Every structure is written in structure tokens, then in C-alpha cells.
Amino acid sequence: MVNIAVLGYGTVGSGVVEVIRTNHESINRRAEEEINIKYVLDRRDFPGDPVEDVLVHDYEVIVNDPEVDIVVEVMGGIEPAHTFVKRALEAGKSVCTSNKALVAKHGPELVQMAKERNINFLFEASCGGGIPIIRALNKSLTADEIDEITGILNGTTNYMLDKMSTEGSDFSAVLKEAQELGYAEADPTADVEGHDAGRKIAILSSLAYGKFVNYEDVYMEGITKITQEDMEYARTLGMNIKLLATSRKVGDSYYAMVAPFMVGKSSPLHSIDGVFNAVFVHGNMLGDAMFYGSGAGKLPTASAVVADVVDEAKHLHRNIMTNWTNQPLPLTPLDHVHGRFFIRVKDVAVDELEEAFGKVQTVETDALPEEMGVLTSVITQGAYKAGAEKLGDRVISMIRVKD
């Protein structure tokens, strides 16, 4: 028997308990052991809930019980989660978590602690909910040199942009609807400003490239400035606006960013709608690969957590190698990164635009007769900024392009 303790009985924690109790026969068969929930930690009481039988309020009960083999951290936030996880690892207990904030900030430290003790710290559910992208990077793609990861890693913003595009709603109306449906938090900052996706791309990049990408070094731009006018141009171009988290290896350098992009039909990310997530990976041997599925939600996330529990149960006191070190990965300044840009302008002639940005393709729509859109050729972000400074307030807005 393998005893586990679940820290937190919120949305994901209750999902973990439900998944284990509903699928216990197949889970035990795959783990080759009986998985037993010995404790659930929460500050609250749950009268009438079956979890009452194993509910505790004091973490000391768990960390000091030698019979607990695996600790499942689904509390969220940095503290006390970080302290609880460290103490569990120090006590020789493997840990799995869905906590992207914890993994993005302290992942290398916790991976190293587990390695030194021949136990495990796993975090499949921290990126992409139920999509098994971390396991793929850590196991299935180890023969490849990964040179790009680009994904829709936040279901809330994808849902909002989809609604803005298909229903013509503005940002504030769609945000209110997303909050009413439970897709967006009361404070939606982490989602709509790109912080959530930034943490996830930092984690995925660290695993793909083998060094620590600090999420605080990732450029993050959200969707709060996207308007119906932007959507009109996207429709004219046959593109969709998506919040993409992307990192690439270019030569010997790397960059990482989160920003809205106009995505063309040739991209597999063009048609990812609603609250779904998708991750595109390119490897030098593999070529292109795409991972798609439910990026959030109680049961998809819990399913990924329980998959880690099964992995750890099969590898008790045997470390599963994780390609992630404490060595920092320097990121190239974005001014040096090449790309195409869609720019909305007013009162500017084409020859003046080409003097600022080089060769451009004009985009006009009858719905916006007093302005013009242009698509640049491939230039650096630094070149875009220099050109935009020349035009001053005649530049209305800019969105990056992924054909």
C-alpha cells in the first residue's frame, strides 16, 4: 500500500480525491500498488463529506507520519506551499503538485532536493491542465533538440478572445461573462496580463532547454488592449488573435515571451477555440508536434496530478530524471528578435510607412475608413520600435504576427 496526503481540498484537491476513488481499480493496477488517501489537509471542515474520515488541520500530522509516502500539494500560491513541500522532501516523501507559481519560482531547488534524496518532485498538472506536455518533454522527446515551444496556455484568455471574435463583444463584457462562468477569477490580472502563461512557458522552456528560465525574465503582455477594431482587421486577414506563450532557440541564443499574436490559418494554433489549450513543439529530429486538450478544470487537472501519483508510486525511492538544472538560461533582449508586425496607423502615407518599417502590405477595411492597417516584412522588434517612434501618435496599436 502507498499512502498519500492531499494538501488542500479546493477545486483540484477534491478532484484528486474523486479521481482516485472513481478510478481506483485501474489506478491501482497501473501503480502496481494500492493507492490509499490517508490524509487530506484543509483549514475548513466538510460536514457530511466522506473526506471527514481523513481530514486533518495540522500539517505536522502529515510530515511526521513515516507511513505517508507521497504528498500531493494542490493548495496554490507560494506560501505555505513552498515550506510544506520542502519539509515533505526533507522527510523523504515524494511530492507532486499542480502549483505553477511554486514550480516557476522554486522548481530547480525542489527538483534538486528530490534528486539528492532519491525521491521525486513531479508537476505535470502545472502546465496545460490535463495535457501531458511535461511528461512528453521529460521522457518522450529526449532524443530531440527542442528549438521551439509555442502554445495557448491560458484557457480564460483564449475563451475571451474567441468570444470577442465570434460575438463582437468588447473586452470588459467578455471578462464579466468569463467571471460569471467561473473561467476567470474575481481578480483576473494573472490571466489577462499574461502572468499565468508566462509562468507556464518558463517551466516548459526550462525543461526543453535544460536550464532555468526565470519567469520574471519573460516578456509578458496581456490582452487588455485588444479591441473590436483589432478583431475586424483579423477577420479581414483571415486570422485569429490568440495570446501565445512562446520560446525559441535561434542559433546559440534563446528568447521567451507572452503576447497577443495574429495567427494565420497555416498555424495549427489558429483554430484552438474556447477554454482549450494547445502546445506546439518543434524538434530537430521530430519536426512538428502538437499537444491539445483541456487546459484547466477540476477533473482534467486532477487527472494529471494522479498520473504523477502513479508515477511516484512506481518509483518509490528511485528518482525519475528531470532535465532541469539551477544554471540560469540567459534570454536575448526582444529588440534583437525577428518577426512580423501588424500595425494600425492614421494619417500616414505608404511611402512614409516604408521609410519607417521597410516593405509593408496595406490592409484596409470599410468598417474603419479613417485608418489603415499594415503588415511588415520580417524585421527586429528594435526596428519596429524605432519606426514607431518616427511616426509618434499616428501609430494606434501593434500586434505581432504568426503566419
Side-chain angles (χ1 to χ4, degrees):
M1 179 182 293
V2 174
N3 289 308
I4 73 169
V6 179
L7 311 186
Y9 197 60
T11 300
V12 179
S14 60
V16 168
V17 173
E18 182 178 343
V19 168
I20 290 175
R21 289 182 171 170
T22 302
N23 293 343
H24 63 278
E25 289 184 8
S26 61
I27 288 168
N28 292 346
R29 184 169 62 251
R30 291 180 174 123
E32 300 174 352
E33 290 278 2
E34 180 183 350
I35 304 297
N36 176 57
I37 302 171
K38 187 169 185 180
Y39 301 112
V40 172
L41 176 75
D42 205 286
R43 291 176 296 182
R44 301 163 293 174
D45 291 308
F46 298 92
D49 191 305
V51 81
E52 272 190 304
D53 296 338
V54 294
L55 188 67
V56 296
H57 302 300
D58 184 1
Y59 180 63
E60 299 302 320
V61 174
I62 293 169
V63 77
N64 292 320
D65 186 341
E67 292 186 350
V68 173
D69 302 295
I70 298 169
V71 171
V72 178
E73 188 280 303
V74 284
M75 303 166 65
I78 301 296
E79 289 295 350
H82 179 228
T83 299
F84 286 178
V85 168
K86 281 187 69 174
R87 291 191 62 200
L89 293 171
E90 288 167 351
K93 306 176 190 302
S94 287
V95 175
C96 57
T97 182
S98 61
N99 189 338
K100 55 189 168 286
L102 174 69
V103 178
K105 188 173 182 64
H106 296 292
E109 169 201 17
L110 300 173
V111 166
Q112 184 62 29
M113 286 183 67
K115 183 177 181 180
E116 290 170 354
R117 290 162 176 80
N118 215 23
I119 52 179
N120 289 291
F121 175 70
L122 301 181
F123 42 92
E124 180 65 67
S126 66
C127 295
I131 303 172
I133 181 61
I134 289 177
R135 192 166 276 104
L137 289 174
N138 210 28
K139 293 183 178 180
S140 303
L141 303 180
T142 52
D144 266 74
E145 292 285 337
I146 304 300
D147 54 33
E148 180 183 355
I149 300 176
T150 299
I152 295 169
L153 296 176
N154 183 272
T156 299
T157 50
N158 201 52
Y159 170 84
M160 292 173 63
L161 291 170
D162 187 23
K163 284 284 185 177
M164 289 176 70
S165 174
T166 58
E167 297 184 2
S169 304
D170 64 18
F171 174 84
S172 57
V174 171
L175 174 58
K176 183 179 179 182
E177 181 181 342
Q179 289 171 320
E180 290 170 350
L181 292 171
Y183 296 150
E185 302 287 344
D187 179 0
T189 304
D191 292 327
V192 300
E193 295 292 357
H195 303 162
D196 175 80
R199 289 187 172 96
K200 292 173 180 175
I201 196 64
I203 294 168
L204 295 178
S205 301
S206 297
L207 290 169
Y209 310 133
K211 296 181 181 179
F212 179 43
V213 176
N214 188 334
Y215 78 94
E216 294 178 350
D217 295 335
V218 176
Y219 174 83
M220 289 176 273
E221 179 183 323
I223 67 167
T224 56
K225 295 178 182 178
I226 299 298
T227 65
Q228 273 305 314
E229 288 78 10
D230 299 322
M231 292 293 177
E232 178 64 29
Y233 279 111
R235 283 189 285 271
T236 300
L237 289 164
M239 294 180 167
N240 283 328
I241 299 176
K242 300 292 183 182
L243 184 70
L244 298 186
T246 183
S247 71
R248 290 191 67 188
K249 179 184 180 184
V250 182
D252 294 326
S253 62
Y254 299 81
Y255 72 85
M257 65 185 301
V258 176
F261 280 75
M262 282 199 176
V263 181
K265 290 181 180 178
S266 62
S267 169
L269 298 170
H270 172 270
S271 57
I272 306 301
D273 297 328
V275 295
F276 284 90
N277 281 197
V279 185
F280 168 87
V281 178
H282 184 270
N284 66 338
M285 298 292 116
L286 169 76
D288 297 343
M290 180 87 153
F291 300 81
Y292 168 82
S294 297
K298 175 178 177 175
L299 295 179
T301 305
S303 174
V305 173
V306 175
D308 279 347
V309 170
V310 170
D311 233 1
E312 291 184 341
K314 293 173 70 173
H315 297 86
L316 283 180
H317 313 299
R318 184 155 49 99
N319 181 255
I320 302 168
M321 199 286 259
T322 299
N323 183 36
W324 192 354
T325 70
N326 276 303
Q327 185 178 353
L329 182 70
L331 297 178
T332 299
L334 285 190
D335 279 357
H336 299 160
V337 173
H338 288 78
R340 297 179 69 210
F341 301 85
F342 172 78
I343 311 165
R344 289 171 53 203
V345 296
K346 60 183 180 182
D347 304 324
V348 186
V350 173
D351 58 350
E352 194 175 358
L353 285 165
E354 295 196 333
E355 184 180 336
F357 301 113
K359 190 68 175 175
V360 299
Q361 172 191 338
T362 60
V363 184
E364 297 185 29
T365 170
D366 293 339
L368 300 165
E370 296 185 357
E371 63 176 77
M372 178 171 60
V374 296
L375 285 165
T376 71
S377 55
V378 176
I379 59 175
T380 65
Q381 180 158 302
Y384 161 75
K385 287 167 64 176
E389 286 175 6
K390 290 179 183 178
L391 300 180
D393 60 7
R394 291 180 292 171
V395 174
I396 300 170
S397 64
M398 177 274 284
I399 300 176
R400 295 163 179 82
V401 176
K402 186 172 183 64
D403 293 310

